[in-house]
Amino acid sequence: MDGKNRKDIKPGMKVEIILKRDQKTGKLTEGVVKEILTNSSFHPHGIKVRLADGQVGRVARIVG
């Protein structure tokens, strides 16, 4: 599942995100969602989240 719909993402879920610095390469970073930062219900590039370790990026894929 991709991370473009806010309703699909909940704190505590494991996701893969693309960090701002990795947008050109598409490198994914895995982590657990701590906080959802995007207010809109949909975003074409992925919902922006903060992971438990403090990293911020857009959700590329929901792992579980």
Side-chain angles (χ1 to χ4, degrees):
M1 200 176 346
D2 65 13
K4 295 180 180 180
N5 292 304
R6 193 177 196 277
K7 65 177 173 51
D8 296 337
I9 301 166
K10 303 275 184 277
M13 290 180 109
K14 187 178 275 193
V15 296
E16 290 181 335
I17 66 168
I18 299 178
L19 301 171
K20 183 80 171 174
R21 67 174 184 255
D22 295 331
Q23 283 179 344
K24 284 187 175 69
T25 63
K27 178 178 172 269
L28 298 175
T29 303
E30 191 171 294
V32 176
V33 176
K34 178 181 179 184
E35 181 181 2
I36 300 171
L37 303 175
T38 300
N39 289 323
S40 62
S41 61
F42 175 84
H43 193 285
H45 301 295
I47 299 297
K48 190 177 277 189
V49 297
R50 177 174 287 119
L51 299 180
D53 63 6
Q55 296 185 92
V56 174
R58 295 198 181 274
V59 178
R61 198 165 72 90
I62 297 170
V63 179

